[in-house]
Amino acid sequence: MRRVHVIASGRVQGVFFRASTRDEAVRQGVTGWVRNTAQGTVEGEFQGSTDAVEAMLDFCRRGPGHATVSDLRVTELDPDPALTTFRVVH
């Protein structure tokens, strides 16, 4: 089990980044959350198998169609058994 915290910078708000990330998380079987920040970034946590989390990181490096990701900061975290679903935080 792997859990990471990510912050995506660039053109990441107003391009369906959160919704697309949720859809990808469901496809990959990953739990966690995603949200926009006041700084204009998108922040989230992903937890799942190593392969599934790596797939999420690959997705976030590209972003959805109209996004332009200039940087993706990744911090490794200890797994959290309380993360049982994936949600968009508003």
Side-chain angles (χ1 to χ4, degrees):
M1 184 69 60
R2 182 179 179 196
R3 177 175 163 226
V4 297
H5 177 264
V6 299
I7 298 176
S9 303
R11 184 172 179 226
V12 295
Q13 291 191 9
V15 293
F16 298 99
F17 204 104
R18 292 175 299 160
S20 298
T21 300
R22 179 199 58 227
D23 294 346
E24 186 65 20
V26 169
R27 273 193 289 282
Q28 296 296 334
V30 169
T31 61
W33 54 269
V34 65
R35 69 179 171 197
N36 285 343
T37 71
Q39 294 76 29
T41 61
V42 171
E43 174 185 33
E45 287 187 11
F46 310 134
Q47 179 171 275
S49 71
T50 299
D51 289 344
V53 170
E54 202 54 48
M56 290 302 300
L57 295 175
D58 288 343
F59 172 81
C60 287
R61 286 183 185 101
R62 293 185 318 272
H66 294 292
T68 305
V69 180
S70 60
D71 185 47
L72 184 69
R73 286 180 277 159
V74 180
T75 305
E76 298 287 334
L77 301 171
D78 290 332
D80 181 354
L83 286 177
T84 59
T85 63
F86 195 91
R87 62 191 176 102
V88 174
V89 178
H90 296 281

